[in-house]
PDB file of all heavy atoms in Angstrom:
ATOM      1  N   GLY U   1       0.804  -1.227   0.000  1.00 75.00           N
ATOM      2  CA  GLY U   1       0.000   0.000   0.000  1.00 75.00           C
ATOM      3  C   GLY U   1       0.829   1.266   0.000  1.00 75.00           C
ATOM      4  O   GLY U   1       0.297   2.358   0.217  1.00 75.00           O
ATOM      5  N   ALA U   2       2.149   1.120  -0.264  1.00 82.00           N
ATOM      6  CA  ALA U   2       3.007   2.306  -0.280  1.00 82.00           C
ATOM      7  C   ALA U   2       3.033   2.978  -1.646  1.00 82.00           C
ATOM      8  O   ALA U   2       3.447   4.135  -1.768  1.00 82.00           O
ATOM      9  CB  ALA U   2       4.433   1.922   0.135  1.00 82.00           C
ATOM     10  N   LEU U   3       2.623   2.288  -2.684  1.00 86.00           N
ATOM     11  CA  LEU U   3       2.575   2.833  -4.035  1.00 86.00           C
ATOM     12  C   LEU U   3       1.246   2.465  -4.683  1.00 86.00           C
ATOM     13  O   LEU U   3       0.627   1.454  -4.360  1.00 86.00           O
ATOM     14  CB  LEU U   3       3.711   2.257  -4.901  1.00 86.00           C
ATOM     15  CG  LEU U   3       5.143   2.763  -4.662  1.00 86.00           C
ATOM     16  CD1 LEU U   3       6.097   2.064  -5.619  1.00 86.00           C
ATOM     17  CD2 LEU U   3       5.219   4.282  -4.851  1.00 86.00           C
ATOM     18  N   LEU U   4       0.824   3.334  -5.623  1.00 89.00           N
ATOM     19  CA  LEU U   4      -0.341   3.067  -6.459  1.00 89.00           C
ATOM     20  C   LEU U   4       0.168   2.830  -7.873  1.00 89.00           C
ATOM     21  O   LEU U   4       0.864   3.682  -8.427  1.00 89.00           O
ATOM     22  CB  LEU U   4      -1.304   4.255  -6.433  1.00 89.00           C
ATOM     23  CG  LEU U   4      -2.466   4.194  -7.430  1.00 89.00           C
ATOM     24  CD1 LEU U   4      -3.422   3.056  -7.079  1.00 89.00           C
ATOM     25  CD2 LEU U   4      -3.202   5.531  -7.472  1.00 89.00           C
ATOM     26  N   ARG U   5      -0.157   1.635  -8.435  1.00 90.00           N
ATOM     27  CA  ARG U   5       0.288   1.342  -9.782  1.00 90.00           C
ATOM     28  C   ARG U   5      -0.910   1.424 -10.729  1.00 90.00           C
ATOM     29  O   ARG U   5      -1.906   0.722 -10.551  1.00 90.00           O
ATOM     30  CB  ARG U   5       0.921  -0.036  -9.864  1.00 90.00           C
ATOM     31  CG  ARG U   5       1.356  -0.402 -11.282  1.00 90.00           C
ATOM     32  CD  ARG U   5       2.456  -1.441 -11.320  1.00 90.00           C
ATOM     33  NE  ARG U   5       2.174  -2.580 -10.465  1.00 90.00           N
ATOM     34  CZ  ARG U   5       3.082  -3.496 -10.140  1.00 90.00           C
ATOM     35  NH1 ARG U   5       4.330  -3.348 -10.583  1.00 90.00           N
ATOM     36  NH2 ARG U   5       2.772  -4.519  -9.384  1.00 90.00           N
ATOM     37  N   LEU U   6      -0.764   2.263 -11.780  1.00 91.00           N
ATOM     38  CA  LEU U   6      -1.784   2.415 -12.813  1.00 91.00           C
ATOM     39  C   LEU U   6      -1.324   1.693 -14.074  1.00 91.00           C
ATOM     40  O   LEU U   6      -0.149   1.355 -14.215  1.00 91.00           O
ATOM     41  CB  LEU U   6      -2.010   3.904 -13.109  1.00 91.00           C
ATOM     42  CG  LEU U   6      -2.510   4.772 -11.941  1.00 91.00           C
ATOM     43  CD1 LEU U   6      -2.610   6.225 -12.370  1.00 91.00           C
ATOM     44  CD2 LEU U   6      -3.841   4.262 -11.415  1.00 91.00           C
ATOM     45  N   PRO U   7      -2.233   1.413 -14.989  1.00 91.00           N
ATOM     46  CA  PRO U   7      -1.837   0.773 -16.251  1.00 91.00           C
ATOM     47  C   PRO U   7      -0.701   1.529 -16.919  1.00 91.00           C
ATOM     48  O   PRO U   7      -0.623   2.753 -16.860  1.00 91.00           O
ATOM     49  CB  PRO U   7      -3.123   0.822 -17.086  1.00 91.00           C
ATOM     50  CG  PRO U   7      -4.226   0.809 -16.070  1.00 91.00           C
ATOM     51  CD  PRO U   7      -3.710   1.604 -14.914  1.00 91.00           C
ATOM     52  N   GLY U   8       0.171   0.748 -17.600  1.00 86.00           N
ATOM     53  CA  GLY U   8       1.331   1.354 -18.243  1.00 86.00           C
ATOM     54  C   GLY U   8       2.482   1.502 -17.278  1.00 86.00           C
ATOM     55  O   GLY U   8       3.428   2.256 -17.549  1.00 86.00           O
ATOM     56  N   ASN U   9       2.398   0.823 -16.114  1.00 86.00           N
ATOM     57  CA  ASN U   9       3.422   0.890 -15.069  1.00 86.00           C
ATOM     58  C   ASN U   9       3.630   2.316 -14.578  1.00 86.00           C
ATOM     59  O   ASN U   9       4.745   2.756 -14.288  1.00 86.00           O
ATOM     60  CB  ASN U   9       4.742   0.303 -15.570  1.00 86.00           C
ATOM     61  CG  ASN U   9       5.632  -0.164 -14.422  1.00 86.00           C
ATOM     62  OD1 ASN U   9       5.140  -0.581 -13.366  1.00 86.00           O
ATOM     63  ND2 ASN U   9       6.947  -0.070 -14.605  1.00 86.00           N
ATOM     64  N   VAL U  10       2.515   3.054 -14.491  1.00 90.00           N
ATOM     65  CA  VAL U  10       2.536   4.414 -13.940  1.00 90.00           C
ATOM     66  C   VAL U  10       2.443   4.310 -12.428  1.00 90.00           C
ATOM     67  O   VAL U  10       1.522   3.700 -11.885  1.00 90.00           O
ATOM     68  CB  VAL U  10       1.370   5.244 -14.499  1.00 90.00           C
ATOM     69  CG1 VAL U  10       1.267   6.582 -13.763  1.00 90.00           C
ATOM     70  CG2 VAL U  10       1.568   5.456 -15.995  1.00 90.00           C
ATOM     71  N   LEU U  11       3.410   4.917 -11.724  1.00 90.00           N
ATOM     72  CA  LEU U  11       3.465   4.844 -10.269  1.00 90.00           C
ATOM     73  C   LEU U  11       3.210   6.212  -9.662  1.00 90.00           C
ATOM     74  O   LEU U  11       3.815   7.221 -10.060  1.00 90.00           O
ATOM     75  CB  LEU U  11       4.832   4.337  -9.812  1.00 90.00           C
ATOM     76  CG  LEU U  11       5.218   2.931 -10.297  1.00 90.00           C
ATOM     77  CD1 LEU U  11       6.630   2.583  -9.827  1.00 90.00           C
ATOM     78  CD2 LEU U  11       4.221   1.898  -9.782  1.00 90.00           C
ATOM     79  N   LEU U  12       2.306   6.243  -8.671  1.00 90.00           N
ATOM     80  CA  LEU U  12       1.999   7.453  -7.912  1.00 90.00           C
ATOM     81  C   LEU U  12       1.860   7.084  -6.446  1.00 90.00           C
ATOM     82  O   LEU U  12       1.842   5.898  -6.085  1.00 90.00           O
ATOM     83  CB  LEU U  12       0.698   8.084  -8.415  1.00 90.00           C
ATOM     84  CG  LEU U  12       0.666   8.586  -9.868  1.00 90.00           C
ATOM     85  CD1 LEU U  12      -0.749   9.025 -10.228  1.00 90.00           C
ATOM     86  CD2 LEU U  12       1.661   9.739 -10.069  1.00 90.00           C
ATOM     87  N   LEU U  13       1.715   8.096  -5.631  1.00 89.00           N
ATOM     88  CA  LEU U  13       1.431   7.848  -4.219  1.00 89.00           C
ATOM     89  C   LEU U  13      -0.025   7.404  -4.061  1.00 89.00           C
ATOM     90  O   LEU U  13      -0.899   7.797  -4.856  1.00 89.00           O
ATOM     91  CB  LEU U  13       1.700   9.107  -3.403  1.00 89.00           C
ATOM     92  CG  LEU U  13       3.167   9.473  -3.191  1.00 89.00           C
ATOM     93  CD1 LEU U  13       3.271  10.814  -2.460  1.00 89.00           C
ATOM     94  CD2 LEU U  13       3.901   8.391  -2.410  1.00 89.00           C
ATOM     95  N   PRO U  14      -0.340   6.603  -3.049  1.00 89.00           N
ATOM     96  CA  PRO U  14      -1.719   6.123  -2.872  1.00 89.00           C
ATOM     97  C   PRO U  14      -2.748   7.239  -2.756  1.00 89.00           C
ATOM     98  O   PRO U  14      -3.901   7.066  -3.145  1.00 89.00           O
ATOM     99  CB  PRO U  14      -1.634   5.305  -1.584  1.00 89.00           C
ATOM    100  CG  PRO U  14      -0.206   4.909  -1.462  1.00 89.00           C
ATOM    101  CD  PRO U  14       0.587   6.038  -2.040  1.00 89.00           C
ATOM    102  N   GLY U  15      -2.363   8.411  -2.246  1.00 90.00           N
ATOM    103  CA  GLY U  15      -3.325   9.498  -2.085  1.00 90.00           C
ATOM    104  C   GLY U  15      -3.489  10.363  -3.314  1.00 90.00           C
ATOM    105  O   GLY U  15      -4.269  11.347  -3.297  1.00 90.00           O
ATOM    106  N   ALA U  16      -2.803  10.026  -4.407  1.00 92.00           N
ATOM    107  CA  ALA U  16      -2.848  10.857  -5.606  1.00 92.00           C
ATOM    108  C   ALA U  16      -4.250  11.000  -6.188  1.00 92.00           C
ATOM    109  O   ALA U  16      -4.642  12.109  -6.597  1.00 92.00           O
ATOM    110  CB  ALA U  16      -1.881  10.306  -6.656  1.00 92.00           C
ATOM    111  N   PRO U  17      -5.092   9.967  -6.269  1.00 93.00           N
ATOM    112  CA  PRO U  17      -6.430  10.148  -6.844  1.00 93.00           C
ATOM    113  C   PRO U  17      -7.263  11.173  -6.082  1.00 93.00           C
ATOM    114  O   PRO U  17      -7.947  12.006  -6.694  1.00 93.00           O
ATOM    115  CB  PRO U  17      -7.047   8.755  -6.758  1.00 93.00           C
ATOM    116  CG  PRO U  17      -5.871   7.825  -6.796  1.00 93.00           C
ATOM    117  CD  PRO U  17      -4.810   8.532  -6.015  1.00 93.00           C
ATOM    118  N   GLN U  18      -7.209  11.155  -4.775  1.00 92.00           N
ATOM    119  CA  GLN U  18      -8.004  12.101  -3.987  1.00 92.00           C
ATOM    120  C   GLN U  18      -7.502  13.538  -4.212  1.00 92.00           C
ATOM    121  O   GLN U  18      -8.307  14.476  -4.384  1.00 92.00           O
ATOM    122  CB  GLN U  18      -7.918  11.734  -2.516  1.00 92.00           C
ATOM    123  CG  GLN U  18      -8.746  12.637  -1.616  1.00 92.00           C
ATOM    124  CD  GLN U  18      -8.696  12.171  -0.152  1.00 92.00           C
ATOM    125  OE1 GLN U  18      -8.594  11.002   0.123  1.00 92.00           O
ATOM    126  NE2 GLN U  18      -8.752  13.146   0.737  1.00 92.00           N
ATOM    127  N   ARG U  19      -6.195  13.706  -4.247  1.00 92.00           N
ATOM    128  CA  ARG U  19      -5.643  15.043  -4.496  1.00 92.00           C
ATOM    129  C   ARG U  19      -5.991  15.527  -5.902  1.00 92.00           C
ATOM    130  O   ARG U  19      -6.256  16.706  -6.130  1.00 92.00           O
ATOM    131  CB  ARG U  19      -4.126  15.037  -4.311  1.00 92.00           C
ATOM    132  CG  ARG U  19      -3.687  14.761  -2.872  1.00 92.00           C
ATOM    133  CD  ARG U  19      -2.183  14.832  -2.717  1.00 92.00           C
ATOM    134  NE  ARG U  19      -1.669  16.169  -2.999  1.00 92.00           N
ATOM    135  CZ  ARG U  19      -0.369  16.495  -2.968  1.00 92.00           C
ATOM    136  NH1 ARG U  19       0.536  15.556  -2.679  1.00 92.00           N
ATOM    137  NH2 ARG U  19       0.028  17.729  -3.223  1.00 92.00           N
ATOM    138  N   ALA U  20      -5.995  14.595  -6.861  1.00 94.00           N
ATOM    139  CA  ALA U  20      -6.324  14.982  -8.240  1.00 94.00           C
ATOM    140  C   ALA U  20      -7.757  15.474  -8.335  1.00 94.00           C
ATOM    141  O   ALA U  20      -8.043  16.459  -9.055  1.00 94.00           O
ATOM    142  CB  ALA U  20      -6.114  13.783  -9.169  1.00 94.00           C
ATOM    143  N   VAL U  21      -8.688  14.836  -7.623  1.00 94.00           N
ATOM    144  CA  VAL U  21     -10.090  15.272  -7.663  1.00 94.00           C
ATOM    145  C   VAL U  21     -10.200  16.706  -7.152  1.00 94.00           C
ATOM    146  O   VAL U  21     -10.951  17.533  -7.711  1.00 94.00           O
ATOM    147  CB  VAL U  21     -10.974  14.310  -6.839  1.00 94.00           C
ATOM    148  CG1 VAL U  21     -12.377  14.888  -6.670  1.00 94.00           C
ATOM    149  CG2 VAL U  21     -11.033  12.949  -7.512  1.00 94.00           C
ATOM    150  N   ALA U  22      -9.461  17.008  -6.104  1.00 92.00           N
ATOM    151  CA  ALA U  22      -9.515  18.370  -5.558  1.00 92.00           C
ATOM    152  C   ALA U  22      -9.024  19.390  -6.594  1.00 92.00           C
ATOM    153  O   ALA U  22      -9.585  20.491  -6.728  1.00 92.00           O
ATOM    154  CB  ALA U  22      -8.667  18.446  -4.289  1.00 92.00           C
ATOM    155  N   VAL U  23      -7.968  19.025  -7.337  1.00 93.00           N
ATOM    156  CA  VAL U  23      -7.453  19.934  -8.364  1.00 93.00           C
ATOM    157  C   VAL U  23      -8.454  20.072  -9.503  1.00 93.00           C
ATOM    158  O   VAL U  23      -8.734  21.185  -9.987  1.00 93.00           O
ATOM    159  CB  VAL U  23      -6.095  19.424  -8.889  1.00 93.00           C
ATOM    160  CG1 VAL U  23      -5.636  20.257 -10.093  1.00 93.00           C
ATOM    161  CG2 VAL U  23      -5.048  19.455  -7.792  1.00 93.00           C
ATOM    162  N   LEU U  24      -9.020  18.959  -9.936  1.00 94.00           N
ATOM    163  CA  LEU U  24      -9.940  18.974 -11.073  1.00 94.00           C
ATOM    164  C   LEU U  24     -11.249  19.678 -10.734  1.00 94.00           C
ATOM    165  O   LEU U  24     -11.898  20.269 -11.612  1.00 94.00           O
ATOM    166  CB  LEU U  24     -10.222  17.544 -11.550  1.00 94.00           C
ATOM    167  CG  LEU U  24      -9.000  16.769 -12.069  1.00 94.00           C
ATOM    168  CD1 LEU U  24      -9.383  15.325 -12.375  1.00 94.00           C
ATOM    169  CD2 LEU U  24      -8.429  17.445 -13.312  1.00 94.00           C
ATOM    170  N   ALA U  25     -11.642  19.634  -9.495  1.00 93.00           N
ATOM    171  CA  ALA U  25     -12.895  20.300  -9.100  1.00 93.00           C
ATOM    172  C   ALA U  25     -12.782  21.816  -9.241  1.00 93.00           C
ATOM    173  O   ALA U  25     -13.809  22.513  -9.374  1.00 93.00           O
ATOM    174  CB  ALA U  25     -13.245  19.923  -7.658  1.00 93.00           C
ATOM    175  N   ALA U  26     -11.562  22.336  -9.201  1.00 92.00           N
ATOM    176  CA  ALA U  26     -11.381  23.786  -9.332  1.00 92.00           C
ATOM    177  C   ALA U  26     -11.441  24.251 -10.780  1.00 92.00           C
ATOM    178  O   ALA U  26     -11.460  25.455 -11.040  1.00 92.00           O
ATOM    179  CB  ALA U  26     -10.034  24.163  -8.706  1.00 92.00           C
ATOM    180  N   LEU U  27     -11.442  23.315 -11.721  1.00 94.00           N
ATOM    181  CA  LEU U  27     -11.533  23.676 -13.138  1.00 94.00           C
ATOM    182  C   LEU U  27     -12.975  23.991 -13.508  1.00 94.00           C
ATOM    183  O   LEU U  27     -13.918  23.471 -12.880  1.00 94.00           O
ATOM    184  CB  LEU U  27     -11.026  22.514 -14.007  1.00 94.00           C
ATOM    185  CG  LEU U  27      -9.530  22.164 -13.936  1.00 94.00           C
ATOM    186  CD1 LEU U  27      -9.237  20.926 -14.772  1.00 94.00           C
ATOM    187  CD2 LEU U  27      -8.699  23.349 -14.427  1.00 94.00           C
ATOM    188  N   PRO U  28     -13.175  24.810 -14.580  1.00 93.00           N
ATOM    189  CA  PRO U  28     -14.532  24.987 -15.113  1.00 93.00           C
ATOM    190  C   PRO U  28     -15.072  23.620 -15.572  1.00 93.00           C
ATOM    191  O   PRO U  28     -14.360  22.854 -16.244  1.00 93.00           O
ATOM    192  CB  PRO U  28     -14.347  25.959 -16.279  1.00 93.00           C
ATOM    193  CG  PRO U  28     -13.046  26.655 -16.005  1.00 93.00           C
ATOM    194  CD  PRO U  28     -12.182  25.663 -15.295  1.00 93.00           C
ATOM    195  N   GLN U  29     -16.258  23.330 -15.188  1.00 92.00           N
ATOM    196  CA  GLN U  29     -16.866  22.036 -15.525  1.00 92.00           C
ATOM    197  C   GLN U  29     -17.734  22.169 -16.776  1.00 92.00           C
ATOM    198  O   GLN U  29     -18.460  23.164 -16.906  1.00 92.00           O
ATOM    199  CB  GLN U  29     -17.705  21.539 -14.343  1.00 92.00           C
ATOM    200  CG  GLN U  29     -16.964  21.439 -13.035  1.00 92.00           C
ATOM    201  CD  GLN U  29     -15.869  20.376 -13.022  1.00 92.00           C
ATOM    202  OE1 GLN U  29     -16.128  19.227 -13.347  1.00 92.00           O
ATOM    203  NE2 GLN U  29     -14.661  20.796 -12.692  1.00 92.00           N
ATOM    204  N   PRO U  30     -17.754  21.250 -17.708  1.00 94.00           N
ATOM    205  CA  PRO U  30     -16.851  20.094 -17.779  1.00 94.00           C
ATOM    206  C   PRO U  30     -15.465  20.508 -18.239  1.00 94.00           C
ATOM    207  O   PRO U  30     -15.270  21.609 -18.743  1.00 94.00           O
ATOM    208  CB  PRO U  30     -17.538  19.188 -18.795  1.00 94.00           C
ATOM    209  CG  PRO U  30     -18.266  20.129 -19.693  1.00 94.00           C
ATOM    210  CD  PRO U  30     -18.728  21.269 -18.823  1.00 94.00           C
ATOM    211  N   PHE U  31     -14.496  19.559 -18.116  1.00 94.00           N
ATOM    212  CA  PHE U  31     -13.112  19.867 -18.497  1.00 94.00           C
ATOM    213  C   PHE U  31     -12.635  18.777 -19.456  1.00 94.00           C
ATOM    214  O   PHE U  31     -13.153  17.660 -19.508  1.00 94.00           O
ATOM    215  CB  PHE U  31     -12.207  19.953 -17.263  1.00 94.00           C
ATOM    216  CG  PHE U  31     -12.231  18.682 -16.416  1.00 94.00           C
ATOM    217  CD1 PHE U  31     -11.370  17.630 -16.695  1.00 94.00           C
ATOM    218  CD2 PHE U  31     -13.124  18.571 -15.351  1.00 94.00           C
ATOM    219  CE1 PHE U  31     -11.389  16.486 -15.924  1.00 94.00           C
ATOM    220  CE2 PHE U  31     -13.139  17.431 -14.583  1.00 94.00           C
ATOM    221  CZ  PHE U  31     -12.282  16.366 -14.862  1.00 94.00           C
ATOM    222  N   THR U  32     -11.604  19.132 -20.202  1.00 94.00           N
ATOM    223  CA  THR U  32     -11.057  18.211 -21.199  1.00 94.00           C
ATOM    224  C   THR U  32      -9.830  17.513 -20.628  1.00 94.00           C
ATOM    225  O   THR U  32      -9.289  17.900 -19.575  1.00 94.00           O
ATOM    226  CB  THR U  32     -10.653  18.953 -22.466  1.00 94.00           C
ATOM    227  OG1 THR U  32      -9.602  19.886 -22.126  1.00 94.00           O
ATOM    228  CG2 THR U  32     -11.834  19.712 -23.054  1.00 94.00           C
ATOM    229  N   LEU U  33      -9.375  16.495 -21.359  1.00 93.00           N
ATOM    230  CA  LEU U  33      -8.158  15.790 -20.957  1.00 93.00           C
ATOM    231  C   LEU U  33      -6.982  16.742 -20.932  1.00 93.00           C
ATOM    232  O   LEU U  33      -6.146  16.698 -20.023  1.00 93.00           O
ATOM    233  CB  LEU U  33      -7.895  14.634 -21.930  1.00 93.00           C
ATOM    234  CG  LEU U  33      -6.540  13.934 -21.812  1.00 93.00           C
ATOM    235  CD1 LEU U  33      -6.351  13.307 -20.436  1.00 93.00           C
ATOM    236  CD2 LEU U  33      -6.372  12.874 -22.913  1.00 93.00           C
ATOM    237  N   SER U  34      -6.918  17.641 -21.947  1.00 94.00           N
ATOM    238  CA  SER U  34      -5.789  18.584 -22.005  1.00 94.00           C
ATOM    239  C   SER U  34      -5.806  19.518 -20.811  1.00 94.00           C
ATOM    240  O   SER U  34      -4.766  19.785 -20.203  1.00 94.00           O
ATOM    241  CB  SER U  34      -5.852  19.387 -23.310  1.00 94.00           C
ATOM    242  OG  SER U  34      -4.830  20.351 -23.350  1.00 94.00           O
ATOM    243  N   ALA U  35      -7.006  20.008 -20.442  1.00 94.00           N
ATOM    244  CA  ALA U  35      -7.099  20.900 -19.286  1.00 94.00           C
ATOM    245  C   ALA U  35      -6.695  20.182 -18.020  1.00 94.00           C
ATOM    246  O   ALA U  35      -6.017  20.742 -17.138  1.00 94.00           O
ATOM    247  CB  ALA U  35      -8.528  21.442 -19.165  1.00 94.00           C
ATOM    248  N   ALA U  36      -7.114  18.923 -17.898  1.00 94.00           N
ATOM    249  CA  ALA U  36      -6.757  18.164 -16.709  1.00 94.00           C
ATOM    250  C   ALA U  36      -5.261  17.935 -16.639  1.00 94.00           C
ATOM    251  O   ALA U  36      -4.641  18.058 -15.580  1.00 94.00           O
ATOM    252  CB  ALA U  36      -7.501  16.827 -16.720  1.00 94.00           C
ATOM    253  N   ARG U  37      -4.655  17.619 -17.764  1.00 93.00           N
ATOM    254  CA  ARG U  37      -3.217  17.379 -17.784  1.00 93.00           C
ATOM    255  C   ARG U  37      -2.450  18.617 -17.346  1.00 93.00           C
ATOM    256  O   ARG U  37      -1.494  18.508 -16.561  1.00 93.00           O
ATOM    257  CB  ARG U  37      -2.807  16.963 -19.207  1.00 93.00           C
ATOM    258  CG  ARG U  37      -1.323  16.665 -19.352  1.00 93.00           C
ATOM    259  CD  ARG U  37      -0.966  16.373 -20.793  1.00 93.00           C
ATOM    260  NE  ARG U  37      -1.224  17.530 -21.651  1.00 93.00           N
ATOM    261  CZ  ARG U  37      -0.465  18.621 -21.703  1.00 93.00           C
ATOM    262  NH1 ARG U  37       0.610  18.729 -20.924  1.00 93.00           N
ATOM    263  NH2 ARG U  37      -0.759  19.611 -22.505  1.00 93.00           N
ATOM    264  N   GLN U  38      -2.886  19.777 -17.854  1.00 94.00           N
ATOM    265  CA  GLN U  38      -2.179  21.009 -17.484  1.00 94.00           C
ATOM    266  C   GLN U  38      -2.403  21.348 -16.018  1.00 94.00           C
ATOM    267  O   GLN U  38      -1.468  21.763 -15.323  1.00 94.00           O
ATOM    268  CB  GLN U  38      -2.656  22.154 -18.372  1.00 94.00           C
ATOM    269  CG  GLN U  38      -2.305  21.961 -19.848  1.00 94.00           C
ATOM    270  CD  GLN U  38      -2.810  23.098 -20.705  1.00 94.00           C
ATOM    271  OE1 GLN U  38      -2.776  24.266 -20.289  1.00 94.00           O
ATOM    272  NE2 GLN U  38      -3.298  22.775 -21.902  1.00 94.00           N
ATOM    273  N   ALA U  39      -3.619  21.148 -15.535  1.00 94.00           N
ATOM    274  CA  ALA U  39      -3.893  21.484 -14.136  1.00 94.00           C
ATOM    275  C   ALA U  39      -3.117  20.588 -13.191  1.00 94.00           C
ATOM    276  O   ALA U  39      -2.671  21.009 -12.113  1.00 94.00           O
ATOM    277  CB  ALA U  39      -5.400  21.355 -13.863  1.00 94.00           C
ATOM    278  N   LEU U  40      -2.954  19.337 -13.597  1.00 94.00           N
ATOM    279  CA  LEU U  40      -2.238  18.383 -12.733  1.00 94.00           C
ATOM    280  C   LEU U  40      -0.728  18.459 -12.937  1.00 94.00           C
ATOM    281  O   LEU U  40       0.017  17.784 -12.198  1.00 94.00           O
ATOM    282  CB  LEU U  40      -2.722  16.951 -13.029  1.00 94.00           C
ATOM    283  CG  LEU U  40      -4.212  16.661 -12.729  1.00 94.00           C
ATOM    284  CD1 LEU U  40      -4.592  15.265 -13.213  1.00 94.00           C
ATOM    285  CD2 LEU U  40      -4.496  16.810 -11.224  1.00 94.00           C
ATOM    286  N   ASP U  41      -0.309  19.248 -13.922  1.00 93.00           N
ATOM    287  CA  ASP U  41       1.120  19.402 -14.214  1.00 93.00           C
ATOM    288  C   ASP U  41       1.762  18.036 -14.446  1.00 93.00           C
ATOM    289  O   ASP U  41       2.730  17.652 -13.779  1.00 93.00           O
ATOM    290  CB  ASP U  41       1.829  20.118 -13.060  1.00 93.00           C
ATOM    291  CG  ASP U  41       3.265  20.496 -13.433  1.00 93.00           C
ATOM    292  OD1 ASP U  41       3.564  20.517 -14.658  1.00 93.00           O
ATOM    293  OD2 ASP U  41       4.078  20.703 -12.506  1.00 93.00           O
TER     294      ASP U  41
END
């Protein structure tokens, strides 16, 4: 439970999904993949 593995062998911290939702919620809704990528840096 120390790492979160996503498809493509993408590794993040386990709390990354919750933090990402907080970032994405601040975007104008709805948002695109490109907007999400830029917001999440």
Side-chain angles (χ1 to χ4, degrees):
L3 286 180
L4 171 66
R5 178 156 48 193
L6 299 177
N9 203 30
V10 171
L11 299 177
L12 297 173
L13 287 175
Q18 182 176 328
R19 294 183 63 182
V21 170
V23 172
L24 298 174
L27 293 175
Q29 305 294 307
F31 57 87
T32 63
L33 170 61
S34 176
R37 181 185 62 75
Q38 295 179 38
L40 297 174
D41 189 18

